[in-house]
Amino acid sequence: MHKHHSEWILILDFGSQYTQLIARRVREFQVYCEIHPFNSDLSEFSSHPPKGVILSGGPMSVNDANSPTLNTTIYEWNVPVLGVCYGLQIIAHTDIPGSVEKASKRKFGRASLQIDDHSDLFKGFENKTTVWMSHGDHLKQLPPNYCVIAHTSNAPIAAVKHTTKPIYGVQFHPEVVHTNDGKLLISNFLKTICKCVGEWTPDSFIESSIQEIRAKVGSDKVICGLSGGVDSTVTAVLLHEALGDQLLCVFVDNGLLRKDEFKKVMDLYKRDLKLPVKGVDASNLFLDRLHGVTDPESKRKIIGNTFIDVFDEAISKEAGFKYLAQGTLYPDVIESVSFKGPSATIKSHHNVGGLPDKMNLKLIEPMRELFKDEVRVVGRKLGIPDHFIERHPFPGPGLGIRVISDLTREKLDLLREADHIFIEELHRHDLYSKTWQAFVVLLPVQSVGVMGDERTYEFTAGLRAVTSIDGMTADWAHLPYDFLAHVSNRIINEVRGINRVVYDISSKPPATIQWE
């Protein structure tokens, strides 16, 4: 927890797929918040307690043997508490075990909520509003000193509050867009109940980060690994603002970049952003080490390790470097700590899990509190040109995890050409900014085709395009058929070695955005 947040909200995660959405909504009101697993040691916050606590939903029943429990330390802080779904049930269950039971039928989807009490939490609401339900259990009896403040036709207890303390619970999800007045409810909790002012703005973030970086680094030097993406670029510009010539940026060509990427991005760094940047072509080293490797986790680890070796080499002739800066973001941090502890992490992130233990530099990660769209806002404030800020995210391991098989230079070249065509056409048809991320994957599938009078046996390219707010959940982009047909024709006609193009229509969850 960073001491420079004068006000902050603690979100305790009980495993809901929506927990990050709660954080997004809180931050929309310029209130800083952090997500921590339900079983975290809360004593570390006692000297600087949050202004309020939100308990997330969760997939289990409070009556299950190993279900997450409530750490009652939160009550000792005497701050407002809001329980959402599982969060409400665990408040009740902690007071009276057995007060929660299985609902006769699962409530899933929209419901009409009747408001019984228009003070504080439902201030400014109409008498009825539409909410999103998603739960298998419900409260059959109120704990002592609680009263019902809203109900639905089949959930007599849909929202409750404590009669004397600022403790609230709702049996629906205010954080999802399907709950019509969800934002108003969250605003009421933050502003009216927790008395948050909302001072956490991009300007305040830049100001406090610069002070923090200067205090931490002192007169030492920092090396910043640039990937050509928005995160590392904003990190570098912020560090440059704070440290001036104590910063050296290294942009590595790992052989896994997009077409002409190395030259274009070097121009931007040197000419437009005036960053102290050193370009290193290490493509042969990376591709030799990756030769014949098919397992995605192995690819990530090899790429992470090789980056460190290249950085070490790049600064071995320079003295005084103590820190390595990275563009790690908040979702990277959260996805690498599952709510049950270290067990069920989805994948090791290139920034969080892919680094070797024996690194000679200390890490500095100024963006690790931010979501992607917040990084973009900070980048604009720092004067990074819009056309760059609006670029789609690009993973650290680059095209290495978009060739879904062993890596060869030939496959990477095929992928680069196909990807270039897809992105070029998205720009040309004004669809690029309407998607969150778009790219091509080269599948380990060869199939028969006919070109002219010849039979071909070539690779399949998969097009992937998604819409999203922050990459935590994503829907496949409904691109026009004519557009997809046009892209497919271009790729098959212009890229010798690809004779079939498919379009990926999976959403996240259950799929991830990248294929590996």
Side-chain angles (χ1 to χ4, degrees), residues 3 13 16 21 33 82 121 152-153 156 194 200 202 237 245-246 288 291 315 359 370 383 418 435 452 465 470 475 480:
K3 296 292 178 280
D13 182 18
S16 167
L21 263 184
C33 61
L82 172 63
L121 199 61
T152 69
S153 57
C194 298
W200 197 65
V237 173
D245 58 9
Q246 289 167 258
D288 290 347
H291 185 73
I315 58 166
M359 198 177 68
L370 302 188
T435 52
D470 50 32
D475 194 13

Side-chain angles (χ1 to χ4, degrees), residues 305-505:
N305 283 311
T306 308
F307 266 125
I308 299 298
D309 292 347
V310 172
F311 288 149
D312 273 349
E313 173 64 24
I315 58 166
S316 58
K317 301 167 189 67
E318 318 252 1
F321 282 96
K322 292 273 177 70
Y323 291 95
L324 168 67
Q326 291 196 139
T328 306
L329 302 194
Y330 200 36
D332 299 341
V333 176
I334 303 165
E335 275 195 6
S336 299
V337 182
S338 80
F339 88 104
K340 278 274 189 186
S343 55
T345 48
I346 297 166
K347 61 185 178 199
S348 70
H349 261 276
H350 52 278
N351 284 0
V352 181
L355 294 179
D357 303 327
K358 192 183 118 300
M359 198 177 68
N360 305 325
L361 298 164
K362 287 187 262 185
L363 270 185
I364 187 163
E365 301 173 311
M367 300 290 145
R368 66 180 285 129
E369 297 181 342
L370 302 188
F371 287 97
K372 188 75 166 196
D373 49 324
E374 295 172 325
V375 174
R376 289 191 162 122
V377 176
V378 167
R380 281 199 186 90
K381 287 274 180 201
L382 288 166
I384 298 171
D386 240 19
H387 69 85
F388 188 81
I389 289 286
E390 286 305 326
R391 288 175 58 154
H392 289 175
F394 187 62
L399 302 184
I401 55 167
R402 292 181 178 172
V403 171
I404 315 296
S405 59
D406 61 313
L407 292 172
T408 64
R409 286 169 173 77
E410 295 71 32
K411 287 179 187 172
L412 286 163
D413 286 340
L414 287 180
L415 179 57
R416 249 186 280 277
E417 291 303 324
D419 192 74
H420 179 69
I421 290 169
F422 188 28
I423 300 301
E424 186 176 75
E425 292 297 342
L426 283 166
H427 279 296
R428 196 172 281 162
H429 289 81
D430 199 24
L431 292 165
Y432 185 83
S433 59
K434 297 185 173 72
T435 52
W436 158 267
Q437 200 173 10
F439 53 90
V440 177
V441 288
L442 192 70
L443 303 180
V445 176
Q446 285 175 289
S447 65
V448 174
V450 181
M451 294 229 180
D453 294 327
E454 282 179 52
R455 176 181 182 280
T456 58
Y457 191 61
E458 294 178 341
F459 284 102
T460 302
L463 306 183
R464 177 75 160 141
V466 297
T467 55
S468 177
I469 301 297
D470 50 32
M472 298 320 304
T473 57
D475 194 13
W476 61 278
H478 296 237
L479 297 174
Y481 290 154
D482 293 353
F483 170 78
L484 290 170
H486 174 63
V487 172
S488 172
N489 282 341
R490 269 199 70 188
I491 291 174
I492 291 169
N493 287 329
E494 294 172 36
V495 186
R496 297 282 301 258
I498 293 175
N499 66 357
R500 192 175 292 265
V501 174
V502 298
Y503 188 50
D504 177 353
I505 57 168

Side-chain angles (χ1 to χ4, degrees), residues 237-255:
V237 173
L238 182 66
L239 285 164
H240 195 225
E241 197 108 328
L243 301 171
D245 58 9
Q246 289 167 258
L247 174 72
L248 171 68
C249 299
V250 177
F251 182 35
V252 177
D253 184 352
N254 57 2

Side-chain angles (χ1 to χ4, degrees), residues 38-86:
F38 72 94
N39 53 1
S40 304
D41 176 7
L42 300 183
S43 60
E44 58 175 306
F45 306 133
S46 297
S47 60
H48 187 64
K51 296 271 287 222
V53 180
I54 299 177
L55 311 175
S56 84
M60 297 182 78
S61 163
V62 291
N63 298 315
D64 290 349
N66 299 319
S67 60
T69 53
L70 179 64
N71 183 336
T72 53
T73 304
I74 60 170
Y75 294 142
E76 292 164 20
W77 298 331
N78 291 323
V79 299
V81 175
L82 172 63
V84 174
C85 288
Y86 187 96

Side-chain angles (χ1 to χ4, degrees), residues 1-2 5-12 22-27 29-36 45 48-55 77 79-82 186-191 193-198 200 330:
M1 174 59 212
H2 300 270
H5 298 293
S6 54
E7 56 175 29
W8 70 288
I9 296 289
L10 169 64
I11 299 167
L12 284 182
I22 300 175
R24 300 288 310 106
R25 296 287 172 258
V26 170
R27 290 183 178 199
F29 294 103
Q30 297 185 329
V31 175
Y32 180 71
C33 61
E34 285 188 8
I35 297 172
H36 290 273
F45 306 133
H48 187 64
K51 296 271 287 222
V53 180
I54 299 177
L55 311 175
W77 298 331
V79 299
V81 175
L82 172 63
I186 290 168
S187 167
N188 284 341
F189 180 69
L190 297 174
K191 303 283 175 75
I193 297 168
C194 298
K195 306 278 189 281
C196 288
V197 183
W200 197 65
Y330 200 36

